[in-house]
Amino acid sequence: MSEKFYQLSPEKRLEKMTTDESLQRFFLARQSSEMPDLIENYVADFKLPEGVLPDLTVNEKHYRVPMVVEEPSVVAAAANGARMVALGGGFQEEGQSQALVGGQLLFLDADLDALGEYIEANEAAIFETAALAKPSLVARGDGLKKVDFRIIDQRHSVLELSVQSGKAMGANAVNTILEAVKDVMAPFSEKLVGAILTNAGHGAEVSVSAQLPVEIVGGIKAAERIVSLSEFGKVDSDRAVTENKGIFNGLSAVLLATGNDYRAVEAAGHAFASQSGHYQSLSSWQLSADQKFLQGRLTLPLNIGILGGAIGALPMAQKNLELMGNPTVAELKAIMLSVGLANNLAALKAVSGKGIQEGHMRMQARALAIQVGASGSEVNRVADRLAKEKTIDEKTATRILGEERQHDA
């Protein structure tokens, strides 16, 4: 009996997919011993560049922050925003973050009164079952903390569990607890559609703030333009989408570098941005009452971890946490949000000032220089000349590289 595709070795998968030897050699050269068991049907590692934000000040502590991202200007923008905020004292975390992950048992067409009464009468059994399902969580002081019954409409209702996950993101723990609690809800099993965690992050909201003298951004007029642009993100959803994308440019780059689930965080963030019924920017900027300071704030749900899952399986994620000084979960949350707000500030300053295109074109020129074969000192030389050209494209970059090499010969 022949092996199924997922049962094949990475090498045999490549053989099965293509007879092009050069393509096979390309993928074979990019295989590693670390990644094959992380995903199904592995064939190779897809690499992204990692940069470092060299100095981020959060709660008066300084951090080096690794960022994994393919967009040229993201790390530069984060560094610029972090530098400006540092001149005003750095970022501050507001309140105490919670490591809460939600789980849902979803019921369809259940007798709502009977279901509600049953849950209330069996709440102790639900907590006991959850504790037995994950005793290690309880031993650390974590585990199930809250049970709620929510009626969505006459047909749909939800039993919601809030689990304190500790140092791990907690997805597997929550799903394990939900499977166990299904037994407690056996009398309503025919009405139970499914049991699964939710990435919404209710109760796991985190906030960071920044305050900097208006002179740092170019004076009161420049600060007023930043505030006005920020206001557009509150009233126009199209502007809000772009602004939030800029926030996640930085935040998701740190999520990736630390092995966390950037997709879950982004989904929760976009849902949180829509909680008023109108999609809005996650950040806000305003002037202080005396108009001497520009004040910013960013809030969103953040379920992350510093161990378990991909973090434990990816050596780079572990080393990146070490590079950051092995922050606690709460510290890492504040760091991530601060990077997001730093990117947001840099983008708002650029868009409300000279415009964002100039900086993007400089970084695009570097990418094009590398794309056409420039290396070493050639990259900056080609990029510098390319950025001054009317047409910035591969043909122009190729011509400039040829001229530079002819000059060096």
Side-chain angles (χ1 to χ4, degrees):
M1 183 176 179
S2 62
E3 291 180 300
K4 295 181 179 179
F5 190 76
Y6 76 90
Q7 295 173 319
L8 298 174
S9 68
E11 295 79 9
K12 288 185 178 179
R13 290 185 194 122
L14 289 172
E15 291 176 8
K16 191 176 183 66
M17 286 191 299
T18 178
T19 57
D20 188 323
E21 292 186 7
S22 65
L23 189 59
Q24 285 190 39
R25 287 196 299 270
F26 179 88
F27 281 104
L28 283 169
R30 284 156 179 80
Q31 292 178 350
S32 71
S33 60
E34 299 166 349
M35 305 296 183
D37 295 325
L38 277 179
I39 63 170
E40 189 109 330
N41 298 339
Y42 169 89
V43 293
D45 297 350
F46 184 100
K47 293 184 179 180
L48 290 173
E50 176 174 316
V52 173
L53 196 172
D55 189 8
L56 179 76
T57 306
V58 184
N59 295 336
E60 300 182 350
K61 289 183 66 175
H62 295 269
Y63 297 93
R64 295 168 301 198
V65 186
M67 301 176 69
V68 174
V69 64
E70 87 295 342
E71 189 171 329
S73 60
V74 171
V75 179
N80 186 26
R83 176 191 60 79
M84 289 188 284
V85 174
L87 292 171
F91 296 92
Q92 298 293 324
E93 181 183 13
E94 297 183 359
Q96 183 64 44
S97 64
Q98 300 293 317
L100 291 174
V101 182
Q104 296 182 310
L105 281 84
L106 309 166
F107 296 91
L108 180 66
D109 292 330
D111 183 322
L112 299 178
D113 290 334
L115 180 56
E117 290 172 3
Y118 182 84
I119 290 171
E120 184 177 357
N122 288 273
E123 186 170 305
I126 292 172
F127 272 92
E128 182 180 356
T129 300
L132 291 172
K134 291 297 294 184
S136 59
L137 276 182
V138 179
R140 297 195 299 265
D142 299 315
L144 180 61
K145 296 298 180 183
K146 188 179 179 183
V147 173
D148 287 306
F149 177 55
R150 180 164 60 91
I151 297 173
I152 301 172
D153 55 37
Q154 287 303 306
R155 298 194 64 203
H156 304 87
S157 57
V158 183
L159 171 58
E160 298 181 320
L161 309 183
S162 294
V163 178
Q164 186 169 299
S165 58
K167 294 181 179 181
M169 183 271 174
N172 291 333
V174 171
N175 286 329
T176 298
I177 289 172
L178 288 168
E179 286 300 313
V181 172
K182 281 168 65 175
D183 292 338
V184 180
M185 304 305 298
F188 294 86
S189 60
E190 291 185 2
K191 303 298 182 181
L192 180 61
V193 174
I196 187 69
L197 88 157
T198 170
N199 293 118
H202 299 305
E205 294 84 0
V206 187
S207 296
V208 295
S209 62
Q211 177 172 282
L212 56 158
V214 295
E215 289 78 15
I216 292 173
V217 296
I220 184 63
K221 294 298 183 183
E224 287 175 343
R225 288 195 296 271
I226 289 173
V227 171
S228 296
L229 190 57
S230 176
E231 289 174 357
F232 264 94
K234 298 300 183 184
V235 298
D236 179 51
S237 59
D238 287 356
R239 172 60 205 154
V241 168
T242 306
E243 191 159 335
N244 288 341
K245 186 269 182 184
I247 289 169
F248 283 117
N249 274 346
L251 203 159
S252 295
V254 187
L255 286 162
L256 270 170
T258 55
N260 277 284
D261 189 344
Y262 69 93
R263 300 162 302 278
V265 171
E266 289 183 5
H270 292 307
F272 188 73
S274 305
Q275 62 180 339
S276 68
H278 174 77
Y279 186 84
Q280 298 179 322
S281 169
L282 292 162
S283 67
S284 60
W285 290 91
Q286 62 186 25
L287 287 168
S288 61
D290 59 8
Q291 298 206 332
K292 291 183 178 180
F293 297 93
L294 179 64
Q295 300 171 326
R297 192 169 189 268
L298 173 61
T299 302
L300 77 155
L302 204 53
N303 282 137
I304 63 164
I306 56 174
L307 54 78
I311 302 168
L314 293 170
M316 279 296 290
Q318 298 165 38
K319 292 300 181 182
N320 281 337
L321 288 169
E322 187 177 334
L323 179 68
M324 298 169 75
N326 291 314
T328 65
V329 172
E331 287 173 334
L332 185 56
K333 288 181 178 182
I335 290 167
M336 288 176 172
L337 258 68
S338 297
V339 174
L341 192 56
N343 275 89
N344 181 232
L345 173 60
L348 291 174
K349 184 176 184 295
V351 173
S352 63
K354 292 182 179 180
I356 207 162
Q357 191 67 359
E358 181 181 343
H360 268 285
M361 284 300 98
R362 283 200 301 269
M363 300 305 290
Q364 180 65 16
R366 283 180 56 84
L368 274 172
I370 295 169
Q371 184 177 318
V372 299
S375 61
S377 63
E378 291 177 338
V379 175
N380 285 332
R381 286 154 49 198
V382 172
D384 287 344
R385 287 186 56 186
L386 187 58
K388 297 173 184 177
E389 295 281 338
K390 290 183 179 180
T391 302
I392 299 178
D393 58 14
E394 187 175 342
K395 181 179 179 181
T396 308
T398 301
R399 172 180 59 79
I400 292 173
L401 177 59
E403 291 172 356
E404 287 294 321
R405 287 180 172 174
Q406 187 175 12
H407 180 269
D408 291 341

